[in-house]
Amino acid sequence: MNLKKNNSISVLMCVYNGDDIEHFREAINSLKIQSKFIDELIIVKNGLILDEHEETIKNIEKYINTKIIYLDKNIGLAKALNRGLNFISSMWVARFDSDDICHKDRFKIMKEKINSHGDKFDILGFYIEEFN
């Protein structure tokens, strides 16, 4: 028996010490607005990270149920994300990079699509807008 809610969303991201702190802050702050549509945030610390990254993570924990996965050393993005998948407790996983910035309705729209069509699909995709 699967106890996961059919419309639950986990956000999976990885952070490492080379991630730009300002981009990381913006990314995390963009999740705050979406907090009522996100069931959990899984952050994989891929090796040691900067104190500024740690402070940003502590800040988001006030808004979103957050699980932190600690890796002693950097094992690369793909392997780190695969480790993070083991801790997901939601039906749906949203991949999120440490420099992604959410549209203000990203997870609201995602939740609506899951509620109306989630039983028909395994994957949902959304467009991106590049910026410099």
Side-chain angles (χ1 to χ4, degrees), residues 58-71:
K58 279 187 175 56
N59 187 14
I60 195 63
E61 290 178 301
K62 300 172 193 170
Y63 300 92
I64 300 173
N65 175 32
T66 305
K67 295 178 187 173
I68 310 297
I69 312 310
Y70 302 91
L71 302 178

Side-chain angles (χ1 to χ4, degrees), residues 44-85:
V44 180
K45 293 182 185 178
N46 199 4
L48 295 175
I49 60 174
L50 302 173
D51 289 342
E52 292 88 347
H53 292 117
E54 295 283 359
E55 291 170 23
T56 303
I57 292 169
K58 279 187 175 56
N59 187 14
I60 195 63
E61 290 178 301
K62 300 172 193 170
Y63 300 92
I64 300 173
N65 175 32
T66 305
K67 295 178 187 173
I68 310 297
I69 312 310
Y70 302 91
L71 302 178
D72 292 333
K73 63 179 184 168
N74 187 319
I75 61 172
L77 179 63
K79 288 181 180 178
L81 291 171
N82 281 333
R83 294 263 180 99
L85 282 172

Side-chain angles (χ1 to χ4, degrees), residues 88-105:
I88 298 292
S89 59
S90 296
M91 286 294 293
W92 293 88
V93 179
R95 257 290 287 123
F96 193 72
D97 285 327
S98 58
D99 62 353
D100 285 350
I101 299 171
C102 290
H103 179 277
K104 65 181 179 63
D105 292 325

